[in-house]
Amino acid sequence: MNPADDFGLFTSEAVRDPYPIYRRMRSEAPVHWSERAGAWMFTRYRDVFDLQVRPDLSVDRVETLYSYLPRANRERFSSIVEHYTRWLLYRDDAYHDRLKALFLKAMAPRAIELMRPKIRRRVAQVLDGLRGRERFDAYLDFAARIPVLVMIDLLGLPDADEDLIRTWSDRCSNFLFQPVDPDREALAAEQKAILDAQEAYFGAFVRERRAKPGADMISAMVQAEVNGERLTDLEVLANCNMMATAGNGTSRSAISLSLMHLKRFPAELEKLKADPRLIDLAVEEFLRFDAPTQRGIRTAREDFEIAGRSVRKGQILHVMIGAANRDPEQFADPDRLDVAREPNRHVTLGHGVHYCLGAALARMELREAIAGFLERYSAYEIDTPEVSFMDRTASRRLTSLPVRVIQ
């Protein structure tokens, strides 16, 4: 592997385990220009930490989104870009600041703490459905369900729509994170069909909540104002999709990866079982050790210098979260899971202006899911010789996690 082929970053090897590749990149080219990605890649902790808060970087994804579309007649799919540029995650302007205030109120640690009983009940509900089964899929039957059910509660949607919301979340995530060798025509066509279906689905709830608001996030969004104006139906719809996609995908990955890695480090599993009070530290370590989102994307607003390299206005930067979280200059023995690691200032959830708004919820879901699972199943085994991951390198997501529980 060498810099000319991005150290093998866009290969099936990287899908399975990107961390040896990150190690080479940090050592040989910690600031690397990728011709394939058309972007700078930063793999050292200190660079990633600094870049996450630089005010001269933008999270605007217009150019990146257009690059995901087929080259021929891209205007056919302009509605996809229009949709995603309404996501709070991909904005830097006054729209972001005003809408952020709404989400900060709903997602504040104090507000999420009030949700703990409901989240705990959802975890118990899923586990109750697995009762009596010796074998099941801890990803599909457990980890993938909990964040969807929690989001259904937040948005005020019917439980009967769980599978629909989960499918949309999966497919939107697949578009945004892009497979290693994407079929851009097929991905864009599927994405347009999903967004059209979501417009009809969420539109009905938006109209209903405008007429009769309740205590849910759709009601909060339809009543919110940005620059003295109410959000449009498209803006509400886009941010419903953002909550379902961004929230569901990362949490389900974190839960399933945590259960997998605890079996790779049995002494840490025993430590956590012996002292359940370690769960809060363990959650931070799970997020550090194998971050669900492996890299963030920024665009340079101005020319600047960093680590001896010149970044030009308009260039794309990939902040390699997964690589930074395994940097030995920041973390002792970084390739070892340590459920009692402290301090643990990982960069998985970002910091500064674009700190993850759902951080408190993500931590709560992960905490309650792992604690609930271990309480119910104190002994379990991974029931496959090798797990498989979805075909992407910008995020980490299992396709399944078969387990056998030992009664």
Side-chain angles (χ1 to χ4, degrees):
M1 303 295 181
N2 57 63
D5 64 5
D6 296 321
F7 297 88
L9 186 61
F10 301 103
T11 63
S12 57
E13 176 189 355
V15 171
R16 288 191 302 272
D17 183 5
Y19 295 102
I21 294 170
Y22 294 155
R23 194 179 307 123
R24 290 196 297 271
M25 292 178 75
R26 277 196 313 268
S27 173
E28 299 174 27
V31 182
H32 167 66
W33 174 259
S34 166
E35 289 292 344
R36 173 169 175 165
W40 291 102
M41 295 182 167
F42 297 83
T43 49
R44 287 183 301 210
Y45 178 91
R46 64 177 180 269
D47 294 333
V48 169
F49 188 89
D50 290 345
L51 289 168
Q52 284 184 329
V53 295
R54 282 191 72 113
D56 51 359
L57 296 181
S58 169
V59 296
D60 185 290
R61 294 286 294 274
V62 171
E63 292 303 321
T64 302
L65 289 165
Y66 270 114
S67 74
Y68 293 165
L69 302 178
R71 290 199 175 119
N73 303 318
R74 281 183 175 170
E75 64 277 3
R76 292 174 294 154
F77 301 112
S78 60
S79 61
I80 296 175
V81 178
E82 185 179 8
H83 173 94
Y84 283 113
T85 53
R86 297 300 191 281
W87 275 28
L88 173 65
L89 287 176
Y90 300 150
R91 297 291 287 264
D92 302 290
D93 53 12
Y95 173 87
H96 167 271
D97 294 341
R98 296 295 297 276
L99 199 54
K100 179 181 176 181
L102 171 68
F103 277 87
L104 280 176
K105 182 178 179 181
M107 297 293 177
R110 181 177 298 179
I112 297 303
E113 181 60 37
L114 294 174
M115 291 180 60
R116 183 192 297 270
K118 186 173 288 189
I119 294 172
R120 189 167 288 174
R121 284 195 297 271
R122 286 299 199 181
V123 171
Q125 172 190 339
V126 175
L127 289 170
D128 287 346
L130 299 172
R131 195 186 302 278
R133 293 175 59 179
E134 181 185 352
R135 287 180 166 84
F136 56 86
D137 192 320
Y139 172 69
L140 294 173
D141 299 330
F142 178 67
R145 294 195 61 201
I146 292 164
V148 180
L149 291 169
V150 172
M151 201 56 61
I152 278 174
D153 290 338
L154 273 169
L155 291 170
L157 304 176
D159 278 17
D161 292 341
E162 177 189 348
D163 288 344
L164 178 65
I165 299 300
R166 186 162 82 179
T167 299
W168 281 344
S169 171
D170 282 343
R171 302 316 300 164
C172 291
S173 177
N174 196 55
F175 175 78
L176 291 171
F177 285 103
Q178 295 280 297
V180 171
D181 291 306
D183 180 338
R184 301 200 191 284
E185 181 72 33
L187 281 173
E190 177 191 61
Q191 194 64 193
K192 186 176 187 306
I194 287 172
L195 296 183
D196 287 346
Q198 284 190 346
E199 184 174 359
Y201 175 83
F202 283 114
F205 289 105
V206 169
R207 289 189 294 273
E208 174 190 301
R209 307 292 160 78
R210 286 197 192 281
K212 188 179 180 181
D216 56 79
M217 279 300 293
I218 295 179
S219 297
M221 283 190 281
V222 299
Q223 295 177 87
E225 292 187 358
V226 177
N227 295 332
E229 297 181 1
R230 293 287 176 94
L231 298 178
T232 66
D233 286 2
L234 174 59
E235 289 164 343
V236 176
L237 160 66
N239 284 284
C240 285
N241 187 23
M242 179 192 75
M243 291 179 68
T245 300
N248 289 339
T250 52
S251 288
R252 74 178 64 171
S253 291
I255 294 166
S256 53
L257 289 169
S258 301
L259 291 172
M260 181 185 75
H261 289 310
L262 281 170
K263 294 303 297 183
R264 289 185 53 211
F265 294 87
E268 297 305 301
L269 174 56
E270 293 306 313
K271 187 189 301 183
L272 182 57
K273 283 162 46 177
D275 186 1
R277 294 172 301 178
L278 288 173
I279 188 64
D280 289 331
L281 289 178
V283 161
E284 299 307 317
E285 180 67 344
F286 297 146
L287 292 171
R288 178 200 72 84
F289 187 77
D290 207 358
T293 299
Q294 289 281 295
R295 59 180 179 261
I297 297 177
R298 301 288 190 273
T299 303
R301 290 171 163 173
E302 305 291 343
D303 295 352
F304 67 92
E305 303 286 325
I306 182 170
R309 299 299 187 97
S310 299
V311 176
R312 300 304 179 201
K313 181 178 179 179
Q315 286 187 324
I316 306 297
L317 297 83
H318 287 189
V319 290
M320 309 295 282
I321 293 165
N325 282 341
R326 296 282 191 101
D327 189 338
E329 291 190 11
Q330 177 67 22
F331 303 99
D333 201 2
D335 295 322
R336 183 177 75 84
L337 185 76
D338 178 0
V339 297
R341 187 182 295 273
E342 195 175 20
N344 191 348
R345 200 175 185 185
H346 60 76
V347 292
T348 299
L349 300 171
H351 53 109
V353 174
H354 291 289
Y355 176 69
C356 176
L357 292 173
L361 180 60
R363 287 183 167 106
M364 180 70 76
E365 289 176 339
L366 182 53
R367 183 194 190 286
E368 294 301 323
I370 298 300
F373 188 93
L374 295 181
E375 182 179 355
R376 191 74 63 96
Y377 302 116
S378 60
Y380 66 98
E381 299 293 341
I382 306 299
D383 198 27
T384 180
E386 184 177 356
V387 299
S388 60
F389 288 83
M390 290 187 183
D391 182 30
R392 57 178 73 155
T393 59
S395 69
R396 295 275 285 165
R397 189 177 299 180
L398 295 167
T399 58
S400 66
L401 185 65
V403 299
R404 178 174 63 88
V405 297
I406 303 167
Q407 304 296 338

